[in-house]
Each structure stands twice: as structure tokens, then as C-alpha cells.
Amino acid sequence: MVTAKKTADTTTAPRYAAPALEKGLNILEVLSDSYEGYTLNEISKKLDRSMNEIFRMVMTLERCDWVQVDENGRYSLTLRMFKLAHQHRPLRSLVSIATPLMRKLVNQARQSCHLTVLQDAKVVVIAQIDSPERWSFGLKVGALVGLRDTASGHVLLAYREEAERERILALHGPVDGESTLTKAQLDKVLKQVRVSGYAETPSQQVKGIVNIAYPVFGPNQTVVACLNVPYLERVDLGVQPSVEELKEIVDGYAKELSEMMGYSSYNANP
């Protein structure tokens, strides 16, 4: 738990401090973990701070439109944080470049697709396109998905150096329902992703879905995103690409997007 309380050891104290700012950021961080929001008392307990401190800060955040309160006195984040995140230029550039390709992908694959990135040790959906079929399965933009138990998480981890992976896993807070793998199990999965060049994983959240995920590379052979298709198999007389055909489709668009993001080493192993 992060607080802004002073300690007796001044040698480790920050050179410059802004306690009020730290309190505000801590409140936003706490609220980001809850779908239904928290009462003032719950926020106070989670941050180990007095109600008086929390009340003044939350009122300020509400006045500035960072948080909102419902009829039950529960505070939650507004969409302002989400709006700012999507105004961030690198993210906007990636989404704007990817969206036309993703539209082509869904029309060819007859499946929905989404694009994920790794931010602050969390896997975040930054773009999503529905299938053109009568039905579709998709994840909401802004949704957090598991790091250890999803195809997206496996792809985003697989191509990082071991030290970086360990750092990310240590910082990662599991999302609701996320299952855990032992280090040995996860290492085995990530090794297979690197060998295959993609992840193919039955969904651990929804029955009947197989996630097909490919890495999107940027400059210096870094993975900047993951292109994922949650594959739904038709059982009627309708025609759709098979899983193997789908892999070729997603692979092609992931490579095209990678090249547009500045990657140029497909003739060598990434």
C-alpha cells in the first residue's frame, strides 16, 4: 500500500514532495481496481488515511470531473482517465494505423478481433472490431485481461528478456478470475509461443472460444502489441475460414501492421 506518510529516515525521503498530489493519485489508483466503486469509508481504510483527508481530496477530484458518486455514496472513476489515455500520441498512432487493417481482417476471417498492449504490467484492450456475422464475441475497449492465462498475455510476455518478464510479473495485479500458472508452466507456454510465433489458447474465461494471437513488432524487435482473434466455430451449414486458415490471415495482418510500425526483420527470427 502506497501512502504519503513521512518517515523518520530522512535519507530515503524524496528530494521534492507533493503530499496532496500523492494522495490524489493514490485515490485514483484505488478506484481503478473497482467496478462498483468505493465509499469514502472504504477508500479511507484502503489507504490507511483519515476520513477528513479522504473527504477533501475526493471532493476536489469530483469537482474536477475525475471521479463521480452514485446514489449509494460510492465513488468511481469517470471516463476522463480513459479519454486522456486515448489522446496519448503513441497509443493513438497505433490504434489509427491498426484499425483499417483490423476491419479488413474481420471481413476476411468472419471473426471479431482486438488489439492489446502491456501497460503498467496490465494487459489492456486498446482497439476492437466486431465480426460482420450475425453474432460476435468481443472485448470492450479499455478492458483489462489476464496476463498469465490469456493468449494476449502470453504473446506480450514471450518476446521479452527474462529479467523484464520477472519484473512485469512481480508488478502484475491479477484481474478478476485470472488463473495462475507456476513459473515452470508459464515458461513452457512462453517457449512454445516463441517457437510457433503465435499463441493458440482455449479461453479460460468463456467456453467454446479459442484465442489466436500474434505479436505486433515495432522498432528494435520489440513487441508493441498483440493482435488477437477469439475464434467461434460455426456448426451449421455456413462457411467460414478454418482455424488453420485463420492463423494465416491473422499472421499476415500482424506482419503488415508490424512493418507499418517500423519493424523490418521478418527474414530473420524475431
Side-chain angles (χ1 to χ4, degrees):
M1 184 181 301
V2 179
T3 68
K5 293 183 178 179
K6 294 181 180 179
T7 65
D9 184 5
T10 58
T11 61
T12 60
R15 183 176 178 183
Y16 301 106
L21 176 59
E22 289 183 11
K23 280 187 286 187
L25 294 174
N26 289 338
I27 290 170
L28 295 176
E29 197 170 62
V30 164
L31 291 177
S32 71
D33 290 334
S34 172
Y35 178 77
E36 297 180 348
Y38 293 120
T39 64
L40 289 173
N41 186 50
E42 289 171 332
I43 297 172
S44 175
K45 289 180 178 178
K46 284 183 172 294
L47 292 178
D48 192 24
R49 290 188 176 278
S50 70
M51 280 286 290
N52 187 47
E53 285 182 285
I54 295 302
F55 176 80
R56 288 180 298 170
M57 187 59 63
V58 170
M59 291 304 102
T60 300
L61 290 170
E62 183 185 6
R63 177 171 55 82
C64 296
D65 196 34
W66 288 99
V67 304
Q68 59 194 356
V69 62
D70 65 16
E71 65 276 8
N72 298 314
R74 304 188 76 83
Y75 289 85
S76 59
L77 297 178
T78 65
L79 292 177
R80 189 169 183 182
M81 190 79 72
F82 180 77
K83 180 180 178 181
L84 284 180
H86 281 74
Q87 289 175 337
H88 183 48
R89 187 166 297 278
L91 190 61
R92 288 178 61 192
S93 297
L94 175 57
V95 172
S96 64
I97 292 172
T99 299
L101 294 180
M102 293 170 67
R103 294 192 187 282
K104 292 180 182 179
L105 189 161
V106 300
N107 286 326
Q108 188 175 351
R110 316 307 292 177
Q111 303 280 346
S112 300
C113 75
H114 56 267
L115 191 71
T116 57
V117 297
L118 194 57
Q119 290 186 335
D120 299 325
K122 299 184 189 321
V123 182
V124 186
V125 178
I126 62 168
Q128 191 271 338
I129 305 292
D130 284 334
S131 163
E133 296 287 358
R134 299 191 299 273
W135 58 84
S136 66
F137 175 85
L139 295 176
K140 296 178 181 178
V141 173
L144 300 179
V145 300
L147 177 64
R148 298 178 179 88
D149 65 348
T150 65
S152 287
H154 295 161
V155 166
L156 292 169
L157 280 176
Y159 295 93
R160 284 173 162 79
E161 297 292 337
E162 184 175 1
E164 176 67 2
R165 288 201 303 272
E166 294 301 320
R167 186 189 70 81
I168 292 170
L169 289 167
L171 292 173
H172 175 65
V175 300
D176 182 36
E178 181 175 346
S179 59
T180 58
L181 297 176
T182 66
K183 184 179 185 305
Q185 290 172 326
L186 184 58
D187 286 345
K188 182 178 180 181
V189 170
L190 299 184
K191 180 179 179 181
Q192 182 58 51
V193 171
R194 290 190 294 271
V195 170
S196 303
Y198 66 94
E200 179 179 359
T201 307
S203 173
Q204 300 300 303
Q205 294 77 35
V206 181
K207 286 186 176 180
I209 291 175
V210 176
N211 286 298
I212 308 296
Y214 279 79
V216 175
F217 292 95
N220 303 320
Q221 300 188 3
T222 57
V223 173
V224 297
C226 174
L227 188 59
N228 189 309
V229 170
Y231 179 79
L232 291 170
E233 183 181 4
R234 293 188 67 157
V235 294
D236 61 6
L237 299 179
V239 178
Q240 67 173 168
S242 66
V243 171
E244 293 305 315
E245 291 170 332
L246 176 68
K247 291 177 188 176
E248 293 184 9
I249 294 170
V250 182
D251 182 30
Y253 282 107
K255 287 179 177 177
E256 185 174 351
L257 180 54
S258 296
E259 291 171 353
M260 295 175 74
M261 294 302 297
Y263 183 71
S264 58
S265 302
Y266 277 115
N267 292 330
N269 291 326

